[in-house]
């Protein structure tokens, strides 16, 4: 791609899970409470990790047409049901408890730098959430976390999932800009790679604690991006905000 020009960027799209909010802590903390109420001894940290590891494969089955379109809450519920049975505790969780676990993904803490950094970016750019989360999930999550996005662009609008190119291109189309005027911000190599292949510019944001203390997060040297930053504050600085 051509040399990066920050003045050519009109829209900044931000991944949510892991990039903007801390899914690991949020899911593990809520799961711990639900497990205690159910009288189940499961490690909530390991459980959050196992559940997240089912995330990409579940969406891949949708992208390949192996299963019909389903929004993320449905995929999370299917993964949850399999995971509870795998651990032999399915009988301890009724439908209400399972629904509460799925809704844990709707209430996740923002990274400390996110709100202030996004506020700075909005001074110069349109800033949108672009996530595989469903539209309702993202609306609740962003409101609860106090994140100042200009708009929400759920993969649900494209009826596919990142890193499918149509998700990124749908975002550009809906905001009436060329793909190369969009900067995708993410902490996952697969998201950066997907956005770049769809014609977007990219910024990798480092989140070394994204997967918790015992699992390695993606690192910037493992992908190719226009910018690499440690947080949203540094991104705002590099973009002149």
């Amino acid at each position: 791609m051509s040399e990066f020009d920050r003045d050519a960027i009109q829209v900044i799209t931000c991944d949510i899970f892991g990039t903007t909010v801390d899914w690991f802590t949020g899911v593990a903390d809520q799961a711990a409470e639900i497990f205690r109420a159910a009288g189940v001894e499961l490690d909530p940290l390991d459980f959050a990790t196992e559940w997240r590891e089912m995330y990409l494969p579940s969406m891949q089955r949708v992208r390949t047409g192996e299963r019909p379109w389903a929004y993320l809450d449905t995929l999370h519920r299917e993964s949850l049901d399999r995971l509870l049975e795998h651990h032999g505790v399915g009988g301890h969780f009724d439908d209400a408890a399972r629904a509460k676990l799925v809704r844990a993904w709707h209430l996740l803490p923002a990274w400390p730098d996110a709100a202030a950094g996004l506020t700075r970016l909005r001074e110069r750019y349109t800033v949108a959430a672009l996530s595989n989360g469903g539209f309702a999930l993202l609306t609740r999550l962003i409101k609860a976390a106090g994140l100042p996005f200009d708009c929400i662009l759920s993969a649900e609008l494209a009826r596919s999932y990142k890193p499918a190119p149509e998700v990124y291109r749908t975002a550009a189309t809906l905001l009436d800009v060329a793909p190369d005027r969009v900067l995708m911000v993410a902490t996952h190599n697969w998201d950066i790679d997907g956005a770049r292949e769809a014609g977007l510019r990219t910024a990798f944001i480092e989140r070394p604690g994204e997967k918790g203390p015992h699992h390695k997060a993606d690192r910037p040297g493992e992908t190719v991006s226009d910018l690499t930053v440690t947080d949203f504050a540094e991104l705002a600085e590099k973009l002149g905000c």
Side-chain angles (χ1 to χ4, degrees):
M1 297 181 73
S2 60
E3 184 177 348
F4 181 74
D5 176 9
R6 72 184 189 189
D7 293 327
I9 299 299
Q10 294 177 259
V11 172
I12 296 175
T13 53
C14 302
D15 174 56
I16 298 300
F17 300 121
T19 301
T20 313
V21 302
D22 178 2
W23 65 263
F24 179 80
T25 300
V27 171
D29 286 352
Q30 293 175 79
E33 294 180 10
I34 297 168
F35 293 166
R36 281 194 295 271
V40 169
E41 293 186 6
L42 280 179
D43 186 320
L45 303 179
D46 289 343
F47 189 87
T49 297
E50 290 179 285
W51 199 1
R52 175 68 176 187
E53 286 174 348
M54 302 171 81
Y55 174 76
L56 288 177
S58 68
M59 293 185 295
Q60 176 66 7
R61 289 191 288 274
V62 174
R63 286 197 301 271
T64 61
E66 182 180 335
R67 63 150 300 160
W69 163 258
Y71 77 146
L72 190 59
D73 278 2
T74 297
L75 300 183
H76 273 158
R77 174 60 186 263
E78 292 171 353
S79 298
L80 172 67
D81 290 345
R82 290 196 299 273
L83 192 54
L84 292 174
E85 293 304 317
H86 170 75
H87 284 286
V89 297
H92 292 268
F93 296 89
D94 60 13
D95 187 71
R98 292 173 189 235
K100 189 173 182 180
L101 279 165
V102 169
R103 287 194 298 271
W105 293 92
H106 295 216
L107 297 170
L108 303 173
W111 293 111
D113 59 277
L118 291 170
T119 298
R120 288 176 61 183
L121 292 169
R122 288 182 67 218
E123 294 174 3
R124 183 172 182 176
Y125 304 98
T126 296
V127 182
L130 179 56
S131 170
N132 284 328
F135 197 86
L137 181 160
L138 292 172
T139 301
R140 297 181 187 119
L141 174 58
I142 286 166
K143 181 179 177 66
L147 294 169
F149 285 106
D150 291 310
C151 65
I152 294 168
L153 299 173
S154 166
E156 187 175 353
L157 297 169
R159 308 296 276 188
S160 187
Y161 286 107
K162 296 185 296 177
E166 55 264 36
V167 178
Y168 306 100
R169 291 173 184 156
T170 294
T173 298
L174 287 171
L175 289 173
D176 198 21
V177 294
D180 63 358
R181 296 298 184 99
V182 180
L183 180 71
M184 181 71 205
V185 182
T187 193
H188 307 113
N189 296 334
W190 57 266
D191 207 354
I192 292 291
D193 293 343
R196 185 182 64 253
E197 290 168 10
L200 279 63
R201 310 314 294 249
T202 58
F204 185 97
I205 187 166
E206 298 181 62
R207 296 294 188 197
E210 187 235 338
K211 297 180 181 179
H214 305 303
H215 297 272
K216 184 177 79 71
D218 290 357
R219 302 185 186 279
E222 299 167 347
T223 187
V224 176
S225 58
D226 294 296
L227 298 173
T228 297
V229 296
T230 57
D231 56 25
F232 277 105
E234 185 180 0
L235 178 62
E237 190 70 27
K238 286 193 174 185
L239 292 176
C241 300

